[in-house]
Amino acid sequence: MWKQMLPGIRFTLVFTVLTGLVYPGLVTGLCQLLFSNAANGSLVLKNGRVAGSELIGQNFTRPEYFQPRPSAAGNDGYDPTASGGSNFGPTSQKLSDRVKASAAKFRQDNPAFTGPLPADLVTASGSGLDPHLSPAATDAQVARVAAARRVSAGKIKALEARFIEGRDFGIFGEARVNVLKLNLALDGIYPLAK
Amino acid sequence: MPQATLEPKAPAPRPPAKADGELTDLLPKRLAHARPLFDTGILKRATKDSFVKLNPRALLKNPVIFVVEIGAILTTLALGRDLATGAGNIGFTLQISLWLWFTVLFANFAEAMAEARGKAQADSLRKTKTDSIAKKVVGAKIEPVAASRLRSGDVVICDTGDTIPGDGEVIDGIATVDESVITGESAPVIRESGGDRSAVTGGTKVLSDQIRIRITSNPGETFLDRMIALVEGAERQKTPNEIALNILIAGLTLIFLMAVITLQPFAQYSVNSAGAGSVPSVVVLVSLLVCLIPTTIGGLLSAIGIAGMDRVMQHNVLAMSGKAVEASGDVNTLLLDKTGTITIGNRQAVEFLTVNGVGAAELADAAQLSSLADETPEGRSVVVLAKEKYGLRGREVASHEAVFIPFSAYTRMSGVDIDGRRLRKGATSAIANFIREQGGEVPQDLLDISERISRQGGTPLAVADGRRGLGVINLKDVVKGGMKERLGQLRAMGIRTVMITGDNPLTAAAIAAEAGVDDFLAQASPADKLNYIKKEQASGRLVAMTGDGTNDAPALAQADVGLAMNTGTMAAKEAGNMVDLDSNPTKLIEVVAIGKQLLITRGALTTFSIANDVAKYFAIIPAMFMATYPVLGKLNVMGLHTPQSAVLSAVIFNALIIIALVPLALRGVKYRPESAASLLRRNLLVYGLGGILVPFPGIWAIDQLVHLLRLA
Amino acid sequence: MTANGILQITIFFLAVLALTKPLGVFMTRVFAGERTFLHPVLRPLERLCYKLGGVNPEVDQRWTQYAGSLLAFSVFSAVLLYALQRLQGYLPLNPMGFGTLHPPAGAVAMTPDLAFNNAVSFTTNTNWQNYPGEATLSYLVQMLGLTMHNFTSAAAGMAIAVALIRGFVRQQANGIGNFWADLVRSTVYILLPLSVLLALFFCSQGVIQNFKPYTQATTLEGKTQVIAQGPVASQEAIKMLGTNGGGFFNANSAHPFENPTPFTNFIQLLCIFAIPAGLTYVFGEMAGDTRQGWAIFAAMSVLFLAGVFVLYPAEQAGNPVLSKFGIQSAVTANQPGGNMEGKEVRFGIAASALFATVTTDASCGAVNAMHDSLTPLGGLVPLFNMQTGEVIFGGVGAGLYGMLLFAILAVFIAGLMVGRTPEYLGKKIEGKEVKMAMIALIATSAAILAFSGASTVIQFAKSSYWNPTLGPAIANLNNGGPHGFGEVLYLFTSSAANNGSAFGGINGNAPWYNLTGGLTMLVGRFLFILPLLAAAGSLAAKKRVPVTSGTLPTHGPLFVGLLVGTVVIVSALTFFPALSLGPIVEHYLMQSGRLF
């Protein structure tokens, strides 16, 4: 046992340098070289300022924007320094209350929408940073957004449809709409009348 | 040109095989003197012993049942508390306590049953051990000495009617001895000085003649003493596999103990958070624990082991240790002696082959005549063959001037001088010499035919009438009926059979092919046997063999399972780890089957025991938490009436299943010789799947009864 | 369940199947020290490692020496990680200033008990995290500490598995291989090259890899959003490949920076099973009978498919409590339906259900959806997967040696039923092996049950050391009723199984949970490995009994069924009472609408 001690220390240092320093250093160099945009967070600029990351959801509360799912990240949601889900179990009273309130608020904000609510719209994501909504969840908001921007629902619907991403290779995952990208496009194409 | 010769008959002739009934059936058959499974005497004794075994210190060696006893004590204390305070469900606690005690008793009973059978046998053996007076030879005088004071090296004399005072070796004389005390076989056997039939056993009786015996054992160490100790189980030690299995079930017990103990805080949390019900009582927790721990196998494990040895005993085989029985299940290679095991003891005449235009009838006639006085089995078979094939009846030769020439090792032929004819039969070379001596010429055919016969595994016996060579009798080793099939079964079980013979390789190969053994060892010397065993063992195989001669002793000791013949020498018996009292070498195959059966029974009951738990959970868990979480009632798939009746029914089932399986444990699981794959498939289905399913209707039925009788 | 969902699961399984042999063949060569196509490049690196480590890789170690090497390495590397975490404030590559006098708002302090828990967690390949990575650790600690342990704990697991296989394969041998050689070879030839490739792939898909301070963004609505950064891709690759599962971020593989697309998600899933599946082939190849390996593979597959096809429909069925608020629980053309709480839209139900199954089959513990929010039956599957000891492909190495433990038990219990004392691969299974298997089994289940039991009832005064802010241990739960109990049970189950996934609502960052959880991880790792190494030593010393038709066949469907049955029954019998008071009763309560 004692004979194994010295190699224990030496290998700890060997692997610390090899896998803890050389490997991530090498990977960082290669990534910065090859995929600089992605490696730095796929940041989105608006007017020369960082407006977010296209991979990270952000909070939208105003009626003229498509609004994302509820978020449990941070106190106000969508805080990338405090990612995470609600961790409410299926028999949680708090979950039930929250979903009930979300559903009521959504129906209040979107009186035109009468169908059953898409499940993702009133549930919090795992990361709290989910950048996406299901197409059904954006569909449900088209009327409200159109009204707020004083644009016909058809135009908004057409724009929204352009942002629907299908499953990867038609197989993996689910169809989705990137809310930030869609809202950026909205601001670009149908800016709010001042 | 090599000539086959009549080899000396080795090994010595043996009493007719006893357990040779249906050869295809490897299942142990209980012999006539074997006890029935349940006999009143044994039952009585076992019942008494089950109570004696309640002593916790004795139970400690059986951790599973020990835990049950602790549980029984706990519930009994709870009962006392309830009686004193008037609180709790007294009827329920009382019944649970009783059934827990029954569980312990049933487990004890199983073991006691197995032991009692041995003890009963030991008692009957002990009766024969009345202290007789021995006639000890001191110098020229004979002194009467108590048999129990004889020591190794003493010499005694036994006359007709005397009981042989101790184990020993005949150093002078020949006598018929009644060994039925030991073997259960009433036909007397011959014991004579020198050779392989010199060993005598204390307690047996001289029926005729006088022999002088050198005692070879000290008081308390005689064969009979050891036999009594063995059957009584005094020397019983746990076998390696049994120890491992004990570790497994003790480990499982520990796991279940933790699962049940921690259920208490889990339940406390649940009760608090649901705001209903109460934490299960100690009585219920103990009930759950007892139902979960493998009480079935825990209660029956030692009984299975003892019963396994007992089954060996019922085959008139004395196993010196349980380990040997266990090992016999593992045997990969069986060394079988050709003579007496694979072939019926003696060669038989199967055809007459003539030379030089001699008529077949003439040859048959000459052969029969020359064999009339030949009382050896070979000789008789010649007479029989002539009769069957040519209708020649045995003639009264006394009316003729007939002089019989007996067989001698020197002349290697026998025959008869009758009416001026000199008829001879014998080894071809001897007959050839005889013909030449008579001035005749040896027909080339005679030599060719002889050569051909021996190449095919037969033994040629040439027949001559004076200077004329008449032909050759083909004597063949006859493979026992069904032997090929039986060896095939062994092969299916994965056991290689090796035939041991003193024959030359040519003959051996022919018989090996006919019998269907996998390998043979021809012209085998004791050293060859030993080396063969060592070679097999080096490649990881376990080897079993039989032997009787002193020169077999090293190989018997080396083999993993060495079955010594009771007729054999003391050295052989000492070297082997089993002794066949019937001296029937074929029994090795049965011993292997018993060993396998023992292991299968263990595995089957372990699997069954663990599989049983599934149903018990479904009975007890919903019952425990019915008040806290009524929705758990959906797990009550058996629809048991009340929580109490559910728990009680599971406990009762758990206790009764032990008793129900005692006969199976004692008799052993049915065993058919077949491949491991099909054995496993069937046993898994019966004891695995069956173990999961059976308790559901079982517990349900008990619950119906409990409800009907308003017990809970 | 949808056709597409079943297709995703099928494609995944077929991909694992396709990877098993090539990876297995390659790894067999690596472990045997034979030449591979990577040797021209990496052989010098391997040699350099031995030289710097000061060992001779040719020395065959007895099991005690092998275990000694493992322990020495584990102790020193854990101590180093502990020190790095505690001293991160004084070390470079800490742009956000964690552990300094001026940490960012919301940062979690690396207390001694948390540092202990985490050091043990990463050393034991558990990667349970009682802290959010993006608010606790500097980049240096994430790399030097966590990434390094991600490699070595995985490599150690592979080493142990190979050592155990050697025990079965060798005859009358004293040694079971050389730990250092196994460790170095696993890392240099298998984990490192694959990780570099995977890291580049992940980055190409959007996983970040930089040393920059967190980015300040101004959202479209004019608010400030601070976007966490860091060297994620390099850690992500080995996190999945080494079945480690410790996230760079709190949200783990649900975080878009760790797992940005359904395609990266699919590759991450493959990474989890690739090496464990390949090791089953290694087992067969080393045993000289690849059918033996495929039998193990088959048993694992049966259990995997059973799990995923319980979990997936349960999640797709959704939560009846919520559907009554007018929420669509059925799948439609443009929304996934089902239980979406805690799940990402891009993954939907099927890919999340698959991930939850796979990550707990293996000892990965990465999550792409919050397990705490799974439906009761959906949560039962991960719990039970871990309670089997994670033998369903399992951790790299750990899954195989865990499954071999069950094979030993299965062979021992049922092997008797063929009328021979039990043997596996020609090795007699006797008292020693059974004892060691039982010690491993008892130790892990004891830790789970005992600490769960204690945590459900233990009370501490507020401001006491053990749980200073909340008092009773159950005050740290995020849910009440059976689900709350499930959180406790999950914590210790995950720790003992060295998984690291969580019913994350439980606040484990209190001395009570940090210390008991750490202890459980140590038990789950070392009291599992040491008995198995002892068994390997005893097996190696034995002769091999030749296989005959009387030998229990351990390669057919029958044995697969037996093995599956043993795994399920032994685990279920141990944990059924606990599970019935957790997810099982919760399922019925949810059906009846009872909330807590």
Side-chain angles (χ1 to χ4, degrees):
Chain A
M1 174 87 199
W2 297 111
K3 260 180 71 185
Q4 317 300 333
M5 282 298 184
L6 194 60
I9 296 176
R10 291 172 70 153
F11 272 107
T12 297
L13 298 176
V14 169
F15 280 108
T16 299
V17 172
L18 176 64
T19 61
L21 219 53
V22 175
Y23 159 72
L26 175 77
V27 169
T28 308
L30 287 171
C31 288
Q32 289 291 337
L33 204 69
L34 297 170
F35 317 109
S36 156
N37 178 46
N40 292 312
S42 309
L43 299 178
V44 179
L45 300 183
K46 192 184 180 192
N47 306 329
R49 280 169 55 187
V50 176
S53 159
E54 64 176 68
L55 293 177
I56 302 288
Q58 52 182 250
N59 235 342
F60 292 96
T61 55
R62 298 184 198 148
E64 67 267 25
Y65 285 120
F66 283 93
Q67 294 170 4
R69 310 172 64 187
S71 163
N75 294 330
D76 305 319
Y78 290 97
D79 179 355
T81 64
S83 63
S86 72
N87 285 319
F88 288 139
T91 54
S92 162
Q93 184 70 54
K94 287 182 192 158
L95 173 68
S96 170
D97 293 347
R98 195 203 73 207
V99 171
K100 192 177 173 188
S102 296
K105 172 140 197 322
F106 186 87
R107 290 196 187 278
Q108 194 187 346
D109 294 346
N110 300 273
F113 182 78
T114 52
L117 293 174
D120 56 314
L121 198 52
V122 289
T123 50
S125 67
S127 61
L129 305 174
D130 193 344
H132 298 115
L133 279 175
S134 69
T138 45
D139 281 353
Q141 304 185 46
V142 165
R144 188 200 71 231
V145 172
R149 292 190 182 256
R150 302 176 202 284
V151 186
S152 80
K155 285 182 174 168
I156 301 293
K157 174 77 187 143
L159 182 67
E160 179 238 10
R162 275 174 40 205
F163 278 85
I164 296 178
E165 304 166 40
R167 294 190 168 111
D168 289 11
F169 307 107
I171 295 170
F172 301 117
E174 294 293 337
R176 56 205 183 271
V177 176
N178 186 308
V179 181
L180 176 59
K181 283 199 212 165
L182 175 59
N183 284 338
L184 270 169
L186 272 179
D187 277 356
I189 300 170
Y190 306 113
L192 276 180
K194 294 280 165 170
Chain B
M1 186 184 299
Q3 293 283 318
T5 57
L6 263 183
E7 51 177 298
K9 290 179 216 134
R14 297 185 166 95
K18 261 176 63 177
D20 252 1
E22 314 152 53
L23 282 164
T24 50
D25 185 5
L26 286 185
L27 267 181
K29 288 175 288 287
R30 276 191 299 282
L31 300 178
H33 66 284
R35 254 156 270 277
L37 200 51
F38 294 101
D39 113 0
T40 21
I42 291 177
L43 273 177
K44 234 184 253 170
R45 184 172 194 158
T47 312
K48 197 185 113 222
D49 284 353
S50 338
F51 285 92
V52 175
K53 283 169 182 281
L54 284 178
N55 180 354
R57 238 181 301 167
L59 268 188
L60 254 178
K61 65 180 167 51
N62 187 342
V64 182
I65 302 303
F66 180 73
V67 169
V68 180
E69 186 171 39
I70 299 291
I73 292 172
L74 280 177
T75 56
T76 310
L77 289 177
L79 179 67
R81 185 198 59 201
D82 287 358
L83 284 172
T85 60
N89 187 337
I90 292 170
F92 174 71
T93 310
L94 173 70
Q95 292 184 71
I96 293 285
S97 306
L98 279 177
W99 280 105
L100 294 188
W101 283 113
F102 281 144
T103 310
V104 181
L105 285 173
F106 290 167
N108 288 350
F109 177 75
E111 189 181 66
M113 270 294 291
E115 285 171 356
R117 293 162 60 75
K119 279 182 189 154
Q121 202 156 352
D123 282 352
S124 62
L125 284 174
R126 205 172 271 125
K127 279 190 201 124
T128 69
K129 245 192 97 186
T130 47
D131 203 4
S132 50
I133 298 297
K135 299 170 193 160
K136 183 176 169 186
V137 179
V138 183
K141 289 190 298 182
I142 290 175
E143 276 179 16
V145 172
S148 59
R149 292 180 53 200
L150 288 174
R151 304 203 59 83
S152 181
D154 289 349
V155 175
V156 296
I157 284 182
C158 287
D159 292 300
T160 306
D162 285 353
T163 298
I164 295 174
D167 297 352
E169 212 181 329
V170 180
I171 49 174
D172 193 20
I174 175 166
T176 51
V177 176
D178 173 9
E179 294 194 338
S180 59
V181 208
I182 307 279
T183 63
E185 172 62 61
S186 53
V189 294
I190 294 193
R191 293 288 177 239
E192 61 187 333
S193 61
D196 286 347
R197 289 192 290 176
S198 61
V200 289
T201 312
T204 57
K205 211 167 180 181
V206 178
L207 292 180
S208 70
D209 304 306
Q210 188 196 58
I211 42 176
R212 196 180 273 257
I213 298 166
R214 187 191 296 119
I215 298 295
T216 53
S217 61
N218 286 324
E221 294 169 6
T222 65
F223 191 67
L224 197 60
D225 288 321
R226 272 168 54 200
M227 194 160 157
I228 291 169
L230 274 167
V231 297
E232 216 170 20
E235 284 180 15
R236 205 180 103 76
Q237 283 176 329
K238 284 194 176 128
T239 58
N241 175 260
E242 206 177 338
I243 292 169
L245 192 52
N246 245 315
I247 293 171
L248 179 91
I249 61 178
L252 286 175
T253 304
L254 205 56
I255 289 178
F256 289 128
L257 193 62
M258 290 181 316
V260 171
I261 289 176
T262 53
L263 193 51
Q264 207 274 345
F266 297 168
Q268 184 67 60
Y269 170 93
S270 305
V271 168
N272 292 349
S273 88
S278 57
V279 175
S281 66
V282 171
V283 177
V284 174
L285 287 174
V286 167
S287 302
L288 176 63
L289 176 64
V290 170
C291 285
L292 292 181
I293 60 178
T295 45
T296 314
I297 184 65
L300 297 175
L301 184 53
S302 61
I304 295 169
I306 299 168
M309 285 192 69
D310 191 46
R311 269 199 303 283
V312 172
M313 179 74 75
Q314 285 170 34
H315 271 65
N316 259 3
V317 173
L318 202 56
M320 299 302 170
S321 71
K323 198 176 165 181
V325 180
E326 199 174 283
S328 57
D330 276 351
V331 161
N332 306 83
T333 305
L334 271 186
L335 302 192
L336 298 171
D337 279 326
K338 183 197 78 178
T339 311
T341 310
I342 292 172
T343 62
I344 48 183
N346 306 290
R347 276 163 263 239
Q348 291 191 337
V350 291
E351 62 183 327
F352 298 118
L353 299 159
T354 57
V355 295
N356 290 347
V358 175
E362 187 190 354
L363 171 61
D365 183 62
Q368 192 181 46
L369 277 175
S370 65
S371 303
L372 279 178
D374 186 350
E375 283 302 310
T376 64
E378 286 88 348
R380 280 202 298 269
S381 77
V382 173
V383 176
V384 170
L385 182 71
K387 186 165 76 188
E388 283 175 354
K389 269 206 159 159
Y390 302 97
L392 298 174
R393 324 200 70 228
R395 281 147 287 186
E396 190 49 61
V397 285
S399 57
H400 303 266
E401 287 279 302
V403 181
F404 290 102
I405 319 289
F407 177 84
S408 86
Y410 176 71
T411 62
R412 292 187 297 151
M413 57 186 183
S414 62
V416 62
D417 293 346
I418 185 169
D419 301 339
R421 295 166 72 192
R422 305 187 65 174
L423 301 175
R424 294 288 183 276
K425 74 169 204 295
T428 307
S429 56
I431 295 294
N433 286 339
F434 173 77
I435 292 173
R436 281 187 208 104
E437 274 169 25
Q438 299 294 318
E441 200 160 303
V442 183
Q444 187 56 38
D445 260 13
L446 190 81
L447 301 177
D448 290 348
I449 293 170
S450 298
E451 162 70 11
R452 202 182 67 230
I453 290 174
S454 43
R455 205 169 32 232
Q456 289 164 351
T459 305
L461 274 186
V463 181
D465 183 352
R467 48 193 290 184
R468 284 176 65 219
L470 299 177
V472 185
I473 307 170
N474 184 0
L475 279 184
K476 269 183 83 175
D477 259 319
V478 177
V479 173
K480 284 185 180 173
M483 184 50 67
K484 187 160 191 159
E485 207 183 339
R486 197 164 183 182
L487 296 177
Q489 289 171 348
L490 286 171
R491 194 169 307 111
M493 290 152 63
I495 297 172
R496 275 177 83 242
T497 46
V498 181
M499 184 180 80
I500 307 288
T501 174
D503 291 342
N504 62 59
L506 228 57
T507 314
I511 298 169
E514 192 185 340
V517 292
D518 298 292
D519 194 6
F520 63 87
L521 199 54
Q523 287 168 340
S525 68
D528 291 340
K529 271 197 207 182
L530 186 63
N531 289 334
Y532 194 92
I533 293 172
K534 282 183 175 164
K535 194 185 83 202
E536 289 285 297
Q537 286 173 333
S539 58
R541 295 189 173 88
L542 259 65
V543 183
M545 69 167 283
T546 58
D548 55 2
T550 301
N551 53 15
D552 281 335
L556 277 171
Q558 179 71 32
D560 301 280
V561 176
L563 180 63
M565 299 295 103
N566 192 44
T567 49
T569 59
M570 219 56 199
K573 290 203 252 179
E574 296 280 347
N577 44 17
M578 291 188 198
V579 177
D580 180 17
L581 302 174
D582 296 336
S583 304
N584 168 17
T586 319
K587 239 188 241 166
L588 193 53
I589 300 177
E590 269 133 29
V591 169
V592 168
I594 295 173
K596 288 194 175 294
Q597 195 191 22
L598 167 76
L599 295 172
I600 292 175
T601 308
R602 246 183 229 159
L605 291 184
T606 307
T607 308
F608 186 82
S609 189
I610 296 169
N612 264 213
D613 283 1
V614 175
K616 293 171 188 164
Y617 264 137
F618 279 98
I620 298 183
I621 291 289
M624 273 179 152
F625 299 105
M626 205 64 113
T628 308
Y629 293 128
V631 287
L632 269 184
K634 296 202 175 162
L635 291 183
N636 182 7
V637 290
M638 286 169 273
L640 307 180
H641 283 93
T642 63
Q644 282 82 13
S645 76
V647 174
L648 187 59
S649 304
V651 169
I652 294 176
F653 177 85
N654 189 56
L656 291 183
I657 200 77
I658 297 179
I659 279 294
L661 291 176
V662 167
L664 185 69
L666 295 187
R667 204 180 285 135
V669 164
K670 199 161 165 53
Y671 171 67
R672 299 193 192 100
E674 56 191 342
S675 75
S678 52
L679 267 177
L680 182 66
R681 189 171 312 120
R682 201 193 30 256
N683 287 329
L684 262 185
L685 209 65
V686 174
Y687 298 98
L689 197 62
I692 292 177
L693 297 179
V694 162
F696 283 96
I699 294 174
W700 177 83
I702 294 172
D703 175 74
Q704 294 292 323
L705 208 64
V706 164
H707 182 71
L708 206 68
L709 301 176
R710 298 180 191 288
L711 294 175
Chain C
M1 293 195 289
T2 64
N4 165 265
I6 295 170
L7 180 67
Q8 289 193 46
I9 293 167
T10 311
I11 290 177
F12 167 71
F13 182 68
L14 293 178
V16 171
L17 191 64
L19 279 176
T20 300
K21 186 176 171 183
L23 210 53
V25 169
F26 174 73
M27 289 195 290
T28 309
R29 296 187 69 85
V30 168
F31 292 127
E34 288 167 22
R35 206 178 155 77
T36 67
F37 70 97
L38 290 174
H39 266 62
V41 187
L42 294 175
R43 176 68 181 152
L45 181 60
E46 185 195 353
R47 282 220 198 92
L48 181 67
C49 287
Y50 297 138
K51 201 174 161 205
L52 293 174
V55 300
N56 174 5
E58 306 300 323
V59 174
D60 200 32
Q61 294 177 313
R62 292 173 164 280
W63 81 264
T64 44
Q65 295 165 321
Y66 200 97
S69 301
L70 166 75
L71 288 178
F73 180 70
S74 301
V75 167
F76 288 117
S77 58
V79 166
L80 179 67
L81 174 54
Y82 180 87
L84 281 172
Q85 294 177 100
R86 297 281 292 149
L87 300 173
Q88 63 172 338
Y90 305 96
L91 298 170
L93 269 180
N94 185 10
M96 302 310 292
F98 292 119
T100 61
L101 292 176
H102 306 290
V108 173
M110 203 25 105
T111 56
D113 54 294
L114 179 57
F116 161 77
N117 182 282
N118 207 43
V120 167
S121 181
F122 276 77
T123 307
T124 57
N125 196 257
T126 310
N127 302 27
W128 174 279
Q129 294 162 300
N130 272 332
Y131 61 91
E134 64 267 43
T136 314
L137 294 178
S138 72
Y139 297 159
L140 187 81
V141 177
Q142 295 263 24
M143 285 164 32
L144 276 191
L146 305 193
T147 304
M148 176 267 189
H149 274 280
N150 276 336
F151 275 99
T152 55
S153 66
M158 292 157 81
I160 306 304
V162 173
L164 181 59
I165 300 175
R166 289 193 191 109
F168 279 108
V169 175
R170 291 186 172 181
Q171 293 210 60
Q172 293 172 294
N174 289 324
I176 53 173
N178 184 298
F179 175 73
W180 305 115
D182 291 339
L183 190 73
V184 169
R185 285 173 187 156
S186 303
T187 309
V188 168
Y189 293 107
I190 301 168
L191 297 176
L192 258 182
L194 280 171
S195 292
V196 171
L197 290 178
L198 284 165
L200 291 176
F201 165 73
F202 286 144
C203 187
S204 77
Q205 298 292 301
V207 178
I208 57 176
Q209 179 74 18
N210 61 60
F211 296 133
K212 294 184 175 157
Y214 295 178
T215 306
Q216 292 256 355
T218 308
T219 68
L220 298 195
E221 293 194 349
K223 300 200 184 83
T224 302
Q225 188 183 38
V226 178
I227 298 173
Q229 299 282 8
V232 179
S234 56
Q235 190 170 328
E236 196 67 19
I238 187 63
K239 168 190 128 185
M240 307 313 293
L241 195 61
T243 62
N244 293 285
F248 194 95
F249 299 112
N250 188 45
N252 210 301
S253 279
H255 198 294
F257 277 170
E258 288 203 22
N259 191 7
T261 66
F263 186 45
T264 55
N265 189 64
F266 178 74
I267 298 300
Q268 295 203 349
L269 281 165
L270 271 188
C271 288
I272 301 178
F273 269 6
I275 293 179
L279 281 171
T280 64
Y281 193 86
V282 172
F283 172 65
E285 182 107 329
M286 284 176 71
D289 179 3
T290 48
R291 294 175 309 173
Q292 301 289 348
W294 285 118
I296 299 286
F297 181 94
M300 291 171 164
S301 302
V302 169
L303 289 164
F304 156 65
L305 291 171
V308 79
F309 283 112
V310 170
L311 205 160
Y312 177 31
E315 290 306 302
Q316 188 66 66
N319 184 346
V321 174
L322 303 185
S323 17
K324 67 171 190 260
F325 301 128
I327 289 160
Q328 180 63 270
S329 58
V331 61
T332 62
N334 52 7
Q335 64 89 41
N339 174 30
M340 280 300 286
E341 180 71 17
K343 294 189 183 64
E344 305 290 297
V345 168
R346 60 190 182 282
F347 304 137
I349 301 291
S352 300
L354 180 60
F355 203 108
T357 312
V358 167
T359 197
T360 50
D361 279 340
S363 83
C364 183
V367 295
N368 78 348
M370 292 302 122
H371 288 190
D372 212 351
S373 297
L374 293 173
T375 58
L377 293 185
L380 173 68
V381 171
L383 256 176
F384 190 72
N385 281 345
M386 294 187 291
Q387 284 165 348
T388 63
E390 291 188 332
V391 296
I392 313 168
F393 295 99
V396 284
L400 183 66
Y401 62 66
M403 192 53 121
L404 291 180
L405 176 144
F406 275 105
I408 288 175
L409 289 181
V411 158
F412 185 78
I413 294 170
L416 282 170
M417 286 197 290
V418 305
R420 294 176 61 83
T421 57
E423 60 209 20
Y424 188 47
L425 299 182
K427 291 296 179 82
K428 284 281 173 207
I429 306 297
E430 293 165 302
K432 175 93 184 267
E433 290 76 32
V434 173
K435 190 192 286 172
M436 292 304 150
M438 288 314 284
I439 289 176
L441 209 58
I442 291 170
T444 46
S445 36
I448 295 173
L449 290 169
F451 285 128
S452 300
S455 299
T456 48
V457 291
I458 204 160
Q459 307 276 335
F460 302 109
K462 280 196 182 177
S463 80
S464 73
Y465 169 75
W466 293 102
N467 200 14
T469 50
L470 294 164
I474 57 164
N476 298 35
L477 307 183
N478 194 41
N479 287 275
H483 196 79
F485 173 61
E487 287 182 341
V488 174
L489 187 64
Y490 202 109
L491 186 155
F492 291 105
T493 302
S494 176
S495 301
N498 296 147
N499 182 276
S501 71
F503 272 7
I506 191 168
N507 170 18
N509 188 12
W512 165 255
Y513 287 114
N514 275 331
L515 297 178
T516 53
L519 206 57
T520 307
M521 295 179 223
L522 288 173
V523 168
R525 177 79 164 182
F526 295 107
L527 281 189
F528 203 89
I529 286 178
L530 294 181
L532 281 183
L533 282 179
S538 124
L539 286 168
K542 294 185 189 192
K543 269 189 239 169
R544 247 180 129 163
V545 183
V547 171
T548 68
S549 59
T551 312
L552 172 80
T554 53
H555 51 73
L558 194 64
F559 179 73
V560 172
L562 172 64
L563 190 52
V564 168
T566 307
V567 169
V568 170
I569 289 196
V570 168
S571 320
L573 290 182
T574 311
F575 294 105
F576 185 80
L579 292 173
S580 66
L581 291 177
I584 295 177
V585 72
E586 187 192 5
H587 171 73
Y588 294 120
L589 291 171
M590 179 183 81
Q591 299 292 340
S592 68
R594 169 93 191 262
L595 300 181
F596 292 88

